[in-house]
Amino acid sequence: MKSTSRNISLLTFVLLLLCSTFAQQKVGLVLSGGGATGLAHIGVLKALEEKGIPIDYITGTSAGALVGSMYASGFSPEEIENYVLSEDFQLMITGKIKPNQHFLFREEEQNASLINLLFTHTNILKKSLPTNFISSSYLDFEMLKLLGTTGASCNNNFDSLFIPFRCVSSDITNKKSITFSEGNLNQAVRSSMTFPFYFSPLKIKGNLLFDGGLYNNFPADIMYKEFSPDFIIGSNVSNNADAPMEDDLISQVVNMLVSHSDFSLPCEIGIIIQPISKVNTFDFEEVKQAISDGYNSTLKYLDSIEVHVERKISKDELLKKREIFKAKINDLNIESITSSSLSKEQAFFIKKSFINKKEKVINSDIIEKRYFRLYNSQQIDFIYPTISKKTDSTYNLNLEVRKAKEFKLDVGGHFSSRAINTGYIGISAKKLGKVASVLKLESYFGKFYGSAKAELTIETPSVHPVSISPYFVLNRWDYFHNFATFFEDIRPSFLIQKEMYFGFKFNHPIKNTAVSILDLRGFNLEDDYYQTTNYTNKDTTDKTFFNGFSSSWQFLKNTLNKKQFASSGHYFSFKVKYINGTENSISGSSSKNSPYNIIKLHSWININSEVQTFLIDHQNFHLGFHAKGVLNSQSLYSNYTATLLAMTAFSPIADAETYFLPEYRSPQFVGTGLNFIFSLKKKIDLRIDTYYYQPFVQLNQNIDNGTFGYSKPFKGQAILASSSIIYHSFFGPIRITLNYFPQQSNPLAFQFSYGYVIFNDRAIR
């Protein structure tokens, strides 16, 4: 009896010891890198949580660092999944930003550039090559919101997170792996995700850090050394690169950059889940599939895991613990701002642009708006935000700012099968101090169009900035009979327009995507033209000179996704202009009228408005609405042609700018149209544009006696249309286009083009 009692007591003691052992059993989770494939880790977490498998420690690399840090910051697998399926995540990994995060005030004026080259005055070639293919502006701010506040609220100690966490990065200076256990959480994870040449690298404590997967793509050794768990679960979606091939450059470069990782566990008690997925490293559009693959693969391992991990944690228990942890995290409220890596004057500009003296605390929405406003500065190349606790409820925001290279060279133009080829070159010099300035010199050159422009823009630092831009412009258009292709002879020019103007622009932002522009300018115009189609090279043209000044105010809002051939976004412009000047018209040898030399004074008001919006904006189909209206009190010039040349043209189709089309010119009109865009592939569009033009009054000429005047109201309506197949290449649009101008002798005009049909502003027309 006593023996039985002793046996029962001994058995009870052993069971209690085992329960105590399992109750204290600690489980570590190791997450490999792998890009989009690495998001399978989310599915792994979902399956483990559903089975009640506890996670006590996490280590991760690259994509594993992102997923692991979010889980360690108190996000549930479902919350992480919802985030990576959101628009925010897609913007992060593609380097784009939302339309309302563009700051139109600081964006460059549109030009025909196709290639941009940044360089400094020293080491021009060495420092001109880009170090990253996409911008990390959205990624960096999102990670500040997702992880920065959590890390700062935990005093930058990764052991104080919801789950103790470690991530690794690669120090390419010392050729070694770096383990982060403290510091700015968002910065540590961002450095672990910095795939070479994809994102801009971070410098932390003087070392340039890249993706942790270069030297350690499966940090199981870090898990063992840092935490010594009782059981390790690994999730690995990566492999070492194949051996380099003598005829494969990529394989050679990869093996030079990447060290082979150890994908085994450093202890016997553990299991590695290897999700099987067809999702590739950069297939971020297949996020949902990667998560599903990770979940389904983990289900096969759960029984084996449960043999070793008997301790369980319920969903309700986890939910309560997460709620308690998240309650300690303060919202992103900034009380002060500092800026590193800059001179005193440059830091002054940054601070003044970000926070107002009257503002004691700024919240997350204001921070986000001003962060992207600052990022749009031409003088700034890169900004990295981190925060530190200042009080119990506010933070200090530190912005690591890297200036843009001092000079930028733009090269481009429009190259066509028609004889309107135009080259473009521009160079700009940028400076950042107590004020920001840009000096830009640019030129267009070709038979059809030539131009030279110089402009200096000076911006004062403020959360509500203003800029002043003195400028000088020369323009020349040569409207020869340019319906010809390069297979046909070109007749002598029948119209040449020359412009010289100078002035000042005063710009002020109205929210992020709109700007107010006050423009004051003086001008000198010259039109050389024939008033007959029967002319020879020996004839001299009629000439009209018009000298004067103008003042205008414009409200401009623009969120279009491309500078030409847009398929989404919105555009709105309203402009009021006053023009005053003196006309001097002189007859030529072919003039229909008797010799004349006429001087007339003119002054008028021009009001014009334009809107473009996309009513349907799906992935494969876009429907746009485009309209323009003009009201003009312009008086008649000395002859019909001079008056016609001074009028505003309706040219909603890009190529219409390269023709002289009298039927679409009048002092007052409205034009509307629809844009049908079928996205055949990611970068290939089939585009059909159709427009209806309705003049309120039209200029008419009496053939018999040479008199001219305005027609009866609402006469002269016309249509125009265009169809194109456009390939939006990395270096600009390549297109095949068929334009339709029904009132021309050759209504259909075909062309093959590369580049942008964009010119400098006209002086007044």
Side-chain angles (χ1 to χ4, degrees):
M1 190 75 175
K2 289 182 179 180
S3 177
T4 303
S5 178
R6 287 190 192 131
N7 290 337
I8 293 173
S9 297
L10 181 61
L11 180 61
T12 302
F13 174 77
V14 171
L15 288 173
L16 288 173
L17 181 63
L18 288 172
C19 289
S20 175
T21 301
F22 282 121
Q24 299 301 318
Q25 186 184 39
K26 297 296 183 181
V27 180
L29 178 66
V30 181
L31 304 176
S32 75
T37 321
L39 299 177
H41 301 320
I42 302 170
V44 174
L45 287 167
K46 284 179 68 177
L48 293 175
E49 270 207 7
E50 286 178 4
K51 206 66 176 177
I53 307 297
I55 303 298
D56 299 292
Y57 312 109
I58 300 177
T59 60
T61 294
S62 195
L66 174 62
V67 174
S69 64
M70 292 184 71
Y71 194 72
S73 296
F75 290 89
S76 69
E78 290 75 20
E79 288 174 323
I80 302 173
E81 179 179 22
N82 289 336
Y83 185 79
V84 300
L85 291 173
S86 70
E87 179 192 10
D88 290 325
F89 183 76
Q90 288 300 320
L91 291 172
M92 278 173 53
I93 49 86
T94 56
K96 299 176 183 177
I97 60 177
K98 295 178 181 178
N100 62 0
Q101 290 168 335
H102 290 274
F103 192 35
L104 187 61
F105 171 80
R106 288 192 174 124
E107 291 185 359
E108 289 188 75
E109 287 189 14
Q110 293 181 350
N111 56 52
S113 64
L114 296 166
I115 300 172
N116 313 115
L117 183 66
L118 301 169
F119 60 96
T120 64
H121 65 282
T122 58
N123 296 319
I124 292 178
L125 181 61
K126 184 178 179 181
K127 294 187 178 181
S128 64
L129 298 176
T131 58
N132 55 289
F133 290 123
I134 68 171
S135 169
S136 64
S137 60
Y138 198 87
L139 166 69
D140 295 337
F141 192 80
E142 280 295 293
M143 293 192 69
L144 178 71
K145 292 194 300 181
L146 289 170
L147 305 175
T149 52
T150 304
S153 295
C154 294
N155 297 312
N156 293 334
N157 183 348
F158 294 2
D159 286 334
S160 299
L161 296 173
F162 180 68
I163 298 173
F165 171 73
R166 300 289 185 269
C167 69
V168 297
S169 296
S170 298
D171 176 0
I172 64 169
T173 303
N174 298 300
K175 303 293 188 297
K176 66 178 183 178
S177 181
I178 300 292
T179 302
F180 285 96
S181 61
E182 60 182 9
N184 297 110
L185 179 61
N186 60 308
Q187 189 179 43
V189 175
R190 163 66 162 81
S191 68
S192 183
M193 295 168 56
T194 306
F195 195 86
F197 312 120
Y198 196 71
F199 292 123
S200 182
L202 298 184
K203 181 173 280 190
I204 302 177
K205 295 182 180 179
N207 296 318
L208 201 62
L209 303 185
F210 278 91
D211 194 296
L214 295 180
Y215 301 149
N216 188 349
N217 209 18
F218 188 65
D221 57 328
I222 305 301
M223 171 63 70
Y224 192 73
K225 291 175 185 177
E226 293 281 325
F227 300 118
S228 298
D230 300 295
F231 189 79
I232 296 177
I233 301 172
S235 177
N236 176 37
V237 296
S238 189
N239 294 295
N240 285 317
D242 294 332
M245 305 289 289
E246 60 183 3
D247 58 349
D248 187 342
L249 177 63
I250 299 299
S251 71
Q252 296 168 17
V253 172
V254 168
N255 276 271
M256 283 189 283
L257 292 175
V258 181
S259 298
H260 281 213
S261 297
D262 184 357
F263 291 106
S264 64
L265 295 178
C267 61
E268 295 180 359
I269 305 177
I271 195 167
I272 297 179
I273 301 167
Q274 292 185 306
I276 300 172
S277 179
K278 292 183 179 180
V279 176
N280 294 318
T281 303
F282 294 101
D283 289 344
F284 287 100
E285 295 176 353
E286 303 297 329
V287 169
K288 197 167 187 177
Q289 183 62 51
I291 296 171
S292 178
D293 292 338
Y295 178 83
N296 292 329
S297 296
T298 305
L299 295 179
K300 302 173 184 178
Y301 291 86
L302 289 177
D303 290 341
S304 299
I305 294 172
E306 285 187 299
V307 170
H308 300 282
V309 182
E310 294 191 1
R311 180 166 66 94
K312 296 293 178 69
I313 184 167
S314 69
K315 279 270 191 180
D316 289 340
E317 188 178 353
L318 273 174
L319 178 61
K320 289 178 182 178
K321 286 186 175 181
R322 285 190 176 113
E323 288 176 349
I324 294 171
F325 177 80
K326 289 181 178 179
K328 301 176 184 178
I329 309 303
N330 296 320
D331 293 333
L332 185 58
N333 294 314
I334 299 301
E335 187 179 343
S336 61
I337 180 172
T338 55
S339 181
S340 57
S341 309
L342 293 175
S343 67
K344 184 177 179 180
E345 291 79 11
Q346 293 161 350
F348 172 82
F349 182 92
I350 300 299
K351 187 174 181 179
K352 283 285 189 180
S353 299
F354 215 98
I355 193 167
N356 195 320
K357 280 185 178 180
K358 297 179 181 179
E359 297 172 321
K360 293 184 178 180
V361 176
I362 55 177
N363 61 32
S364 176
D365 291 338
I366 296 175
I367 296 166
E368 180 175 341
K369 180 172 72 173
R370 293 177 185 173
Y371 167 83
F372 286 104
R373 282 188 169 195
L374 190 61
Y375 225 123
N376 273 267
S377 299
Q378 295 182 49
Q379 297 81 6
I380 292 174
D381 175 59
F382 177 75
I383 302 174
Y384 194 80
T386 54
I387 55 174
S388 55
K389 284 182 70 173
K390 194 170 180 71
T391 66
D392 290 338
S393 59
T394 63
Y395 304 97
N396 174 75
L397 173 67
N398 182 70
L399 298 175
E400 180 188 338
V401 180
R402 186 166 66 228
K403 293 190 301 175
K405 294 182 174 68
E406 303 148 274
F407 301 101
K408 181 162 77 80
L409 177 67
D410 298 319
V411 178
H414 178 236
F415 309 98
S416 171
S417 57
R418 291 173 52 226
I420 53 168
N421 296 302
T422 305
Y424 170 82
I425 188 168
I427 187 167
S428 53
K430 296 165 282 188
K431 186 176 181 181
L432 180 65
K434 283 194 172 182
V435 297
S437 61
V438 180
L439 173 63
K440 183 159 190 177
L441 306 175
E442 58 184 345
S443 176
Y444 290 83
F445 44 93
K447 176 175 174 54
F448 166 67
Y449 176 66
S451 179
K453 180 178 180 180
E455 183 173 28
L456 173 65
T457 300
I458 301 172
E459 179 193 333
T460 59
S462 171
V463 295
H464 304 292
V466 294
S467 69
I468 180 172
S469 302
Y471 58 84
F472 177 83
V473 181
L474 294 172
N475 283 329
R476 184 182 187 275
W477 283 270
D478 186 348
Y479 290 94
F480 47 83
H481 282 289
N482 56 10
F483 269 79
T485 68
F486 56 76
F487 296 110
E488 302 174 27
D489 293 331
I490 300 170
R491 291 186 58 189
S493 303
F494 70 93
L495 165 61
I496 295 176
Q497 293 184 308
K498 302 174 186 176
E499 299 181 342
M500 182 278 288
Y501 64 91
F502 57 91
F504 295 86
K505 284 192 299 185
F506 302 86
N507 288 12
H508 180 68
I510 303 174
K511 294 189 176 181
N512 273 19
T513 59
V515 65
S516 168
I517 305 169
L518 177 64
D519 194 328
L520 307 175
R521 67 177 55 165
F523 57 82
N524 186 326
L525 314 182
E526 178 185 343
D527 293 341
D528 301 339
Y529 52 90
Y530 294 101
Q531 295 195 63
T532 176
T533 56
N534 298 318
Y535 60 88
T536 68
N537 287 330
K538 296 180 181 180
D539 287 317
T540 58
T541 60
D542 290 44
K543 294 180 181 292
T544 294
F545 300 92
F546 189 58
N547 305 321
F549 69 90
S550 70
S551 58
S552 68
W553 175 80
Q554 181 182 19
F555 172 83
L556 177 65
K557 181 179 177 66
N558 188 1
T559 62
L560 295 177
N561 65 333
K562 298 180 178 69
K563 62 181 176 181
Q564 203 161 49
F565 313 116
S567 58
S568 67
H570 308 279
Y571 177 92
F572 176 76
S573 170
F574 177 80
K575 190 172 187 178
V576 179
K577 182 186 294 184
Y578 172 73
I579 301 106
N580 185 288
T582 303
E583 172 206 354
N584 181 15
S585 290
I586 304 170
S587 60
S589 62
S590 62
S591 175
K592 291 182 179 180
N593 303 320
S594 56
Y596 61 84
N597 188 334
I598 301 173
I599 296 177
K600 293 179 70 175
L601 299 178
H602 298 275
S603 64
W604 70 89
I605 294 175
N606 181 295
I607 302 173
N608 71 74
S609 184
E610 183 174 3
V611 62
Q612 184 173 17
T613 187
F614 287 85
L615 308 173
I616 299 175
D617 190 8
H618 291 165
Q619 183 177 0
N620 298 318
F621 176 68
H622 312 266
L623 175 62
F625 171 77
H626 191 185
K628 181 175 182 178
V630 173
L631 294 175
N632 199 337
S633 64
Q634 179 180 332
S635 54
L636 296 174
Y637 277 42
S638 299
N639 61 66
Y640 168 81
T641 306
T643 307
L644 188 67
L645 292 175
M647 289 181 177
T648 306
F650 179 60
S651 52
I653 295 171
D655 295 324
E657 291 278 358
T658 65
Y659 296 99
F660 179 69
L661 302 169
E663 63 269 33
Y664 304 114
R665 287 174 175 256
S666 62
Q668 300 172 15
F669 66 82
V670 63
T672 62
L674 294 175
N675 315 115
F676 302 89
I677 303 161
F678 303 88
S679 296
L680 307 179
K681 287 193 174 182
K682 191 172 182 179
K683 292 186 177 182
I684 300 177
D685 291 340
L686 169 61
R687 185 182 185 102
I688 301 172
D689 302 304
T690 60
Y691 289 90
Y692 175 79
Y693 168 75
Q694 176 63 68
F696 299 154
V697 292
Q698 191 176 35
L699 190 66
N700 283 345
Q701 183 177 30
N702 191 324
I703 303 299
D704 295 334
N705 55 27
T707 59
F708 64 100
Y710 291 124
S711 66
K712 293 181 180 181
F714 304 107
K715 299 290 184 181
Q717 56 266 37
I719 62 171
L720 65 159
S722 176
S723 61
S724 301
I725 295 178
I726 307 174
Y727 171 59
H728 299 280
S729 76
F730 184 76
F731 295 107
I734 302 170
R735 63 191 171 96
I736 299 172
T737 301
L738 184 65
N739 295 309
Y740 178 59
F741 306 116
Q743 296 187 30
Q744 293 295 311
S745 56
N746 296 314
L748 295 175
F750 170 83
Q751 69 182 69
F752 174 81
S753 299
Y754 167 57
Y756 296 102
V757 190
I758 298 176
F759 309 125
N760 281 327
D761 283 344
R762 289 180 175 267
I764 60 170
R765 308 175 218 242

